[in-house]
Amino acid sequence: MTVNYKRFVRARISKAKFRQILRSFALDLTATQIAALTNLNRNTVNRYLTLIRQTIADFCEHESPFAGEIELDESYFGSRYIRGKRGRGALGNTIVFGIYKRNGKVYTEIVPNVRKDTLMQIVTGKVSLQSVIHTDGFRSYDSIVHLGYQKHYRIIHSDDKFAIGSNHINGIEGFWGYAKVRLVKFRGLSKNTFYLHLKECEFRFNYRNEKLYSLLLKITKDNIVI
């Protein structure tokens, strides 16, 4: 999903106020806290937080292709997840597919199902053929080698094994844990807003060791005009 955030032309607050919102967002303050700090209406603050998240989402969608040691996995977000069940366990939940470059960045995409064709289309569009790919034993990953990826290693969780040397998907599973813990604080997200919050999780994870405020200034300056 790509957000066409360039339709947002001009903000209706001062540059100083917008930067105050942006700095507070970088510090991960809530909309209520930002409204109190900026003396702006909470609805106004939420409107600008949405603009910021839309800009972040588009930025994440255009990240460079992944190469190197790559982990693939899918996860289910929602209150009715049945642990250990694929497909059926996703009933009523949002399914997210993830690509993680070890010691690097993660990419997420909401998917309608976990069928082979759905997942492999994302993989071929985002992962270099020279990559070393790690997955679990899920059947949708059976065709990876046939797509031209010569190095595919699998860890079979049903054997109660989660790592054999460097063969594991602990990195992407770590991101799932981070995202789910973070999203809980929003006390339920509609399907209309889940995508933006998911991409915010992705952005914060990918740039956790950088100065977020400076990066946010850079990626918003040409898209939210003050």
Side-chain angles (χ1 to χ4, degrees), residues 70-73 97-99 123 127 133-135 141 144 169 172:
I70 305 298
E71 298 176 17
L72 309 178
D73 194 31
F97 179 60
I99 300 171
V123 171
V127 181
I133 296 181
H134 300 267
T135 71
Y141 302 125
I144 287 178
I169 54 170
I172 186 64

Side-chain angles (χ1 to χ4, degrees), residues 26 28 81 104 113 135-136 139 196:
D28 209 10
Y81 172 52
N113 55 64
T135 71
D136 60 16
R139 62 183 179 276
L196 295 181

Side-chain angles (χ1 to χ4, degrees), residues 62-81:
H62 289 88
E63 289 278 52
S64 300
F66 287 63
E69 295 270 344
I70 305 298
E71 298 176 17
L72 309 178
D73 194 31
E74 71 290 339
S75 191
Y76 307 101
F77 288 75
S79 59
R80 290 181 290 169
Y81 172 52

